[in-house]
Amino acid sequence: MNTPDDHQLLLEDSILQKENREQYAGDGSVDLQGNPVLKNKTGNWRTCPFILGTECCERLAYYGIAKNLVNYLSGKLHQGNVTAARNVNNWAGTCYLTPLLGAFLADAYWGRYWTIAVFSTIYFIGMCTMVLSASVPAFKPVDCLGSICPSATPAQSGVLFVGLYLIALGTGGIKPCVSSFGADQFDDTDPSERAKKGSFFNWFYFFINIGSLISSTLVVWIQENVGWDIGFGIPALFMGIAIASFFSGTPLYRFQKPGGSPLTRMCQVVVASLQNRKLDVPQDTTLLYETPEKLSAIGGTRKLEHSEDLKFLDKASVLSDSDDKWRIEELKLLIRMIPIWATGIVFSAVYAQMATLFIEQGMVMDRRVGTFTIPAASLSTFDVISVIFWVPVYDKFLIPRVRKITGNERGFSNLQRMGIGLFISILAMVSAALVEIRRLQIAEELGLINEHVPVPLSIFWQIPQFFLVGAAEVFTFIGQLEFFYDQSPDAMRSLCSAFSLLTTSLGNYLSSLILIIVTSITTAGGKPGWIPDNLNKGRLYNFFWLLAGLSFFNLLVYVFCAIKYKQKNASASG
């Protein structure tokens, strides 16, 4: 029987635990030395200037290369339209594939902070290599002499692509980690901080597009009117500023400990499930918890509650009385997210057109405003303006009003938000197709079909398609960032963020594959095809119609998957 002294001790212990919860972060956050962090001195919005500044400068650096790369490859390396577009798609795809490596290292061994530090250094070296390729005479491609455009030498191409793919490797440690690292600054167990996390993702994407805006206007103009050496040098400078900004916030950051290899844990579950396939799963589901009571297999993370689907994987826990803690629910979560993840690939293929075929379409339109000639890549500014417009409108105007209707603290759920973006992406492709149809009508009326010259249709007719893609980004890409962070296990957040980025990679590869297939089919028998070097002889609008049709079918699949999706259920940190 408990004595009065026992009750007093229990009361004091309860009060002490409550004070600790209020004083320290409850999501397992630590400082750089591994000690628990005080909530009033670390994290929250106080760290965001450093993280958002890092992302803004890094995105300026990335888009300073990406926005006009197709023009550099076709104009300076003298590659054809299809070859240049395919090379850009492949490089961009690799930039969104390498995050799998960076995320694995972050979650398993290094943590997000040190992963960002190492890979940003590789990134900076790649940027400097790009500057050398455009400034050192031996590495610079030879300019055209009249109509004669000699191809770049293997050495010249080699230096350029070494720089490009060092950048692609460097992005692998930054893309999946910076957004997750920023979200780590808000305590999931504190309702007031948790509510701010949704706004963080909105403003995170806002600052991405501030960097993109500067790239698509000032940097692109400098590249085409001043020189590619300076045009590549400015992004390299800002990458250096990004690194400095990131390290400046170190004393204020909250850190999450790496949780060991997530791939090993998933393989353990699969192997154990197969080994126990002939055994019966116990009726008492409490026996299937990954660890007793409220504790997680990984210190500081929350325990995932048992779910009733994918019961075959539950066999991994039968007769398991060793110290190994099977992370069954981690694997279940990943499997449940796969259908939602897969539907982002087609959307990313649509997004990829802004850096390739939208620019090539703009190159054969009237780009003059008085005596000034607008770089075709600068039209992507309207995509950025759209994002910059929609983020505050969504965060400050739309969410409060939708919240009153839906009762959801975020207004739209992440799944609803992504679905709206997928629908808007269809409208973007329809707009691009209609503009191209009108452009070819004018070309035919003026007898320019066989002439490789711009058609007198203002490039500003492209504004709607860029603006619609920007609106779709705000709904789909930001929704993806938040969805994969929220629904992932605590110890796999970098990896799940990388999965969301992987859709962009596969979208670029899908776009490249479609280009190859379309070119092969439509050029059979000596025909010019849909996308010849002289677009006045082509049928580019058919490619845009094809993507619109794929996007519509993709939306139908997404709606079905979203209706069937089961949300994550996790306990408090133990």
Side-chain angles (χ1 to χ4, degrees):
M1 180 178 293
N2 291 333
T3 65
D5 289 339
D6 292 332
H7 285 296
Q8 181 65 26
L9 289 173
L10 288 171
L11 179 61
E12 291 176 355
D13 184 60
S14 176
I15 294 172
L16 182 61
Q17 288 181 5
K18 182 179 179 181
E19 290 177 351
N20 283 339
R21 284 197 299 269
E22 293 175 351
Q23 188 176 11
Y24 294 98
D27 60 354
S29 296
V30 296
D31 61 19
L32 194 59
Q33 286 73 41
N35 303 311
V37 291
L38 293 170
K39 292 174 67 173
N40 63 350
K41 293 185 177 180
T42 61
N44 217 316
W45 286 113
R46 65 175 61 84
T47 58
C48 290
F50 303 101
I51 296 171
L52 296 178
T54 297
E55 186 64 10
C56 181
C57 292
E58 184 273 327
R59 290 290 85 187
L60 187 154
Y62 174 79
Y63 287 118
I65 301 298
K67 289 283 185 182
N68 216 17
L69 182 58
V70 70
N71 189 26
Y72 185 76
L73 294 179
S74 59
K76 292 297 181 180
L77 266 68
H78 315 307
Q79 296 180 353
N81 282 338
V82 172
T83 301
R86 191 171 63 244
N87 281 331
V88 172
N89 281 333
N90 291 339
W91 173 73
T94 304
C95 287
Y96 287 90
L97 183 63
T98 54
L100 288 175
L101 172 63
F104 173 79
L105 292 173
D107 282 339
Y109 304 110
W110 295 353
R112 286 184 263 280
Y113 176 85
W114 290 113
T115 302
I116 294 170
V118 171
F119 279 79
S120 61
T121 303
I122 297 172
Y123 197 132
F124 184 68
I125 294 171
M127 298 295 300
C128 293
T129 305
M130 289 289 294
V131 176
L132 291 176
S133 74
S135 57
V136 176
F139 298 150
K140 291 171 61 176
V142 180
D143 291 333
C144 292
L145 297 175
S147 60
I148 301 174
C149 297
S151 299
T153 66
Q156 292 166 347
S157 297
V159 172
L160 174 68
F161 281 100
V162 164
L164 283 174
Y165 281 89
L166 280 174
I167 292 171
L169 177 60
T171 61
I174 296 176
K175 287 181 186 291
C177 294
V178 175
S179 62
S180 296
F181 188 70
D184 287 343
Q185 308 308 309
F186 300 90
D187 185 357
D188 263 336
T189 65
D190 184 328
S192 64
E193 289 198 19
R194 186 172 63 243
K196 297 173 184 176
K197 188 175 293 186
S199 289
F200 167 77
F201 282 112
N202 288 329
W203 292 107
F204 179 82
Y205 208 77
F206 179 88
F207 276 91
I208 284 177
N209 283 274
I210 291 294
S212 179
L213 176 63
I214 297 172
S215 293
S216 58
T217 52
L218 178 62
V219 176
V220 165
W221 185 86
I222 289 173
Q223 287 170 347
E224 295 196 9
N225 294 275
V226 179
W228 288 95
D229 49 353
I230 298 176
F232 286 161
I234 292 173
L237 172 64
F238 273 89
M239 187 60 218
I241 295 174
I243 295 172
S245 174
F246 178 72
F247 283 116
S248 297
T250 300
L252 300 176
Y253 292 148
R254 297 175 185 174
F255 304 84
Q256 292 288 330
K257 296 178 181 179
S261 171
L263 296 180
T264 300
R265 297 197 300 275
M266 286 187 286
C267 289
Q268 286 176 332
V269 173
V270 173
V271 170
S273 298
L274 293 173
Q275 288 176 339
N276 298 344
R277 63 186 180 278
K278 295 182 180 180
L279 301 178
D280 294 328
V281 176
Q283 295 298 316
D284 184 2
T285 57
T286 60
L287 299 176
L288 300 175
Y289 285 170
E290 58 177 79
T291 57
E293 300 176 351
K294 293 292 185 181
L295 298 177
S296 171
I298 299 173
T301 66
R302 295 170 296 167
K303 182 175 74 66
L304 298 171
E305 303 292 353
H306 177 255
S307 59
E308 294 297 327
D309 59 337
L310 300 169
K311 290 187 176 181
F312 175 79
L313 296 177
D314 289 338
K315 292 178 181 290
S317 66
V318 179
L319 300 180
S320 177
D321 57 359
S322 67
D323 291 334
D324 293 327
K325 306 299 190 287
W326 302 108
R327 298 308 298 268
I328 299 169
E329 295 303 322
E330 282 188 337
L331 183 55
K332 285 186 179 182
L333 268 177
L334 292 180
I335 293 173
R336 288 203 297 266
M337 286 192 288
I338 285 174
I340 301 295
W341 166 83
T343 56
I345 297 173
V346 173
F347 176 82
S348 295
V350 169
Y351 179 76
Q353 305 316 307
M354 288 200 305
T356 54
L357 293 182
F358 280 14
I359 293 178
E360 291 182 356
Q361 182 187 40
M363 291 293 291
V364 287
M365 299 178 73
D366 185 0
R367 299 185 287 133
R368 295 170 299 173
V369 177
T371 58
F372 182 75
T373 300
I374 302 171
S378 289
L379 262 289
S380 61
T381 302
F382 291 97
D383 162 74
V384 178
I385 291 172
S386 178
V387 172
I388 292 174
F389 169 79
W390 277 109
V391 164
V393 167
Y394 183 90
D395 194 60
K396 301 298 183 183
F397 179 80
L398 197 57
I399 287 180
R401 284 156 181 78
V402 174
R403 185 185 292 136
K404 294 178 181 178
I405 300 172
T406 64
N408 189 315
E409 65 180 13
R410 292 169 171 158
F412 295 110
S413 70
N414 292 331
L415 293 173
Q416 291 169 336
R417 183 174 186 171
M418 288 187 283
I420 294 171
L422 294 180
F423 173 75
I424 296 174
S425 71
I426 300 172
L427 302 181
M429 286 297 96
V430 170
S431 176
L434 294 176
V435 168
E436 184 63 11
I437 289 172
R438 179 55 184 156
R439 193 188 71 81
L440 290 179
Q441 286 175 344
I442 295 175
E444 186 173 4
E445 291 169 1
L446 299 178
L448 300 177
I449 293 296
N450 294 315
E451 302 291 330
H452 195 176
V453 296
V455 171
L457 176 67
S458 174
I459 194 173
F460 290 122
W461 282 99
Q462 285 191 312
I463 290 177
Q465 65 204 56
F466 280 102
F467 197 84
L468 286 167
V469 171
E473 284 181 66
V474 170
F475 285 91
T476 297
F477 277 156
I478 300 179
Q480 279 183 344
L481 278 174
E482 197 169 355
F483 173 79
F484 283 102
Y485 184 89
D486 283 350
Q487 293 301 304
S488 64
D490 291 357
M492 296 175 62
R493 280 177 162 165
S494 295
L495 187 62
C496 287
S497 293
F499 282 149
S500 71
L501 295 168
L502 184 60
T503 62
T504 305
S505 172
L506 296 179
N508 277 278
Y509 290 140
L510 176 62
S511 177
S512 183
L513 177 63
I514 295 173
L515 277 170
I516 292 172
I517 294 172
V518 164
T519 300
S520 176
I521 294 174
T522 61
T523 56
K527 296 178 182 178
W530 287 0
I531 315 173
D533 290 341
N534 178 10
L535 288 179
N536 293 342
K537 298 171 65 176
R539 296 292 183 268
L540 180 58
Y541 60 84
N542 280 336
F543 188 83
F544 293 144
W545 284 128
L546 175 61
L547 285 181
L550 288 174
S551 297
F552 177 74
F553 176 75
N554 184 62
L555 177 61
L556 296 180
V557 174
Y558 173 82
V559 170
F560 175 80
C561 295
I563 292 172
K564 297 290 186 180
Y565 183 77
K566 295 181 180 179
Q567 298 285 331
K568 179 179 80 171
N569 185 22
S571 70
S573 178

